[in-house]
Every structure is written in structure tokens, then in C-alpha cells.
Amino acid sequence: LAGMLRSFLALGVGNYGALAIGLAINVLLARRLGTEEYGRLALMLMASQMLLLIAVNWSHVGFVRFGAREFASTGAVTETLWTRLGLVLPTAGLGALAIVLARQPLAAYLGIPSAGVWLMLVHFVAACALSITGAVFQAREHMARYGVCLFLDKAVMLACIVVLPATWTGNPLTVLGCYAASSLSVAIWGMSTIGARALRPVLPTRAAYRTMVLFSTPVLLSSWAAFFGVNWFDLVILKWYVPMSSIGVYSLATQLAGGVQQITVIFST
């Protein structure tokens, strides 16, 4: 009971701290970027987050479930981790390939240089690394470290905005690079605390793949259904009807409203 209470408090502090810093980040970025460039940043983050949702997030719950079982029985999560990577890497690779092949029309749609599409992929890889690191912490019952991971991701991002010159962070591509650097650096820190021995490569069994796929398939369907209601998918529709400045105002409003909703959602979760 005491351990569960400590984990609950640590995770709560990490979540609420990340929420508060995240709101501050959005306010600062809105002031520095202006409504139009803030809307462009929101569209780039939307594309990266949608790819993360389709290719990676559907296997998160299954990994935590079976990883926790493996950790309880063997003290490691290596087989479950490499089973998930065996499922995620092909889907993530296909998604990244689709983005690369469509980089010219995508860049035109977002109003950014073609090089910006490659930066979006870097952000996607960083977000994947952070997501997998957090899942490892959850499966290993290191909830305090998971809370720290959530907090540091936002804290490092805020530090980048405060330290870098305002002229740099007035460019949405630079800001996206800051997001990527923040997630990747926290993921590297997390993996270093876990240790290379705990992450050593193993060859998963066919039974492990089968179990993970059977469990995750319903989650896959529900995750993709949520694709049409969350993760800023509505920006795809709005892009056809309103100017970029209106998308910026709408994005900031939804971020602030989502932060208010998360006050109760985080506690109950």
C-alpha cells in the first residue's frame, strides 16, 4: 500500500507538473510565433502525432500488460520489449516511408520547406523513443521515474524556449526541433537509468508475437477510431476553410481547454 501511494503521488506530481509547464510553453510560443506561425507549428505536430498514433501507440497497452507480467516473473521486460519493437518497427518504417514519398505535397500543404518534412520525421522518432522509454518504466513498476520522464520532457522544452534567442524560437521549424531535442534527450536519460543490460536484444518467440497481436488488435481498432476525434485531426478539416492564423487561435484554445480537462482526467487515470 505504501509503495502504491508513493507511485501515485510521484506520478501525480509528474503529470500535473508537466501539465502546468505545457500550458506555459503554449502561451510563450503563441506570443513569440504569432497566430499564423503557431498554426503552422500545430499542423506539423499534428502530422507527427498522427503517425505516432497509427504506427506506435496501439501496442502501448499490450506492452505494459505483458511487460509487467514478465517483470513480475523474471525481473526483466526484454522479451516483451523486443516483441513490441518487432511489431512497431515495420509499421513505423512504412509510415515514415509514406511521409518521405509524399514530402513535396505535404510540404506545400503545410507551407514549409521540404527539409521541414525531414525534421518532422526526426520529431516522430524522438516521440517514439520517449513513448517506449515511458512504457518500460511503467512495465517495470518504476512509476516515480515515469513521472520524472513526463516532467522532464516539458521542462527541457521550456528551458529551450527561455534560453534560445527569441529570433530563433520565432520560427516554427526551430520550435519543432526543440520539441524533438527535448523528447530525445529525456529518452536517452531514461534508457541510461534502465541500463543496457536490461535492454539487451533477444529473439522473441512466435507465441510472444501471437499473444501481443491478439491482445493489441482491438486496441488498434479503438486507437484508430480515436484518430478522428483527437490528436488535432480536426485541423486537417479546418485547413481547407480558414486561414492559418485562425488555426493558430483555435489550436491555442484547444490546448488550454484540454489542459483544464486534464486536471480531473489525470487524477482519475
Side-chain angles (χ1 to χ4, degrees):
L1 180 60
M4 185 174 68
L5 181 60
R6 285 195 299 269
S7 295
F8 174 79
L9 292 175
L11 193 55
V13 170
N15 269 290
Y16 285 116
L19 174 62
I21 295 177
L23 292 176
I25 288 172
N26 281 292
V27 172
L28 287 174
L29 288 179
R31 289 177 62 87
R32 290 196 180 181
L33 292 171
T35 54
E36 182 170 347
E37 296 304 315
Y38 186 84
R40 202 178 312 280
L41 173 65
L43 286 173
M44 289 190 291
L45 289 172
M46 174 203 67
S48 178
Q49 291 293 332
M50 286 167 60
L51 184 57
L52 185 70
L53 176 67
I54 294 173
V56 178
N57 285 1
W58 63 276
S59 59
H60 179 89
V61 176
F63 171 76
V64 173
R65 174 187 174 89
F66 297 112
R69 288 185 177 181
E70 182 185 355
F71 184 72
S73 60
T74 67
V77 297
T78 49
E79 183 179 25
T80 309
L81 173 63
W82 288 94
T83 300
R84 188 191 185 196
L85 290 177
L87 297 174
V88 164
L89 291 178
T91 56
L94 289 174
L97 179 61
I99 295 293
V100 170
L101 294 177
R103 63 185 181 278
Q104 294 294 343
L106 181 60
Y109 175 79
L110 297 174
I112 60 175
S114 298
V117 176
W118 295 102
L119 184 58
M120 286 169 49
L121 290 177
V122 172
H123 176 260
F124 166 67
V125 171
C128 286
L130 183 61
S131 175
I132 292 172
T133 303
V136 171
F137 281 141
Q138 288 178 282
R140 291 170 60 91
E141 301 180 7
H142 295 166
M143 302 307 290
R145 291 183 180 180
Y146 177 53
V148 171
C149 197
L150 296 175
F151 180 82
L152 283 179
D153 181 39
K154 299 300 183 182
V156 173
M157 178 62 191
L158 180 61
C160 289
I161 297 175
V162 172
V163 171
L164 292 178
T167 53
W168 291 14
T169 53
N171 185 327
L173 290 175
T174 303
V175 174
L176 184 62
C178 291
Y179 272 110
S182 174
S183 297
L184 189 59
S185 62
V186 175
I188 293 173
W189 166 82
M191 290 299 181
S192 67
T193 62
I194 295 169
R197 183 177 180 181
L199 305 173
R200 66 186 186 280
V202 299
L203 185 63
T205 64
R206 293 182 62 183
Y209 280 118
R210 182 176 181 275
T211 303
M212 181 78 76
V213 169
L214 289 177
F215 180 86
S216 299
T217 298
V219 182
L220 169 70
L221 298 175
S222 63
S223 296
W224 287 11
F227 174 81
F228 297 101
V230 294
N231 290 281
W232 305 316
F233 179 76
D234 45 1
L235 298 184
V236 177
I237 307 300
L238 291 174
K239 177 67 169 60
W240 295 100
Y241 300 102
V242 300
M244 192 69 74
S245 58
S246 296
I247 291 178
V249 174
Y250 176 82
S251 299
L252 180 60
T254 53
Q255 290 294 311
L256 297 177
V260 173
Q261 293 172 354
Q262 288 298 310
I263 293 176
T264 55
V265 172
I266 289 173
F267 183 83
S268 62
T269 303

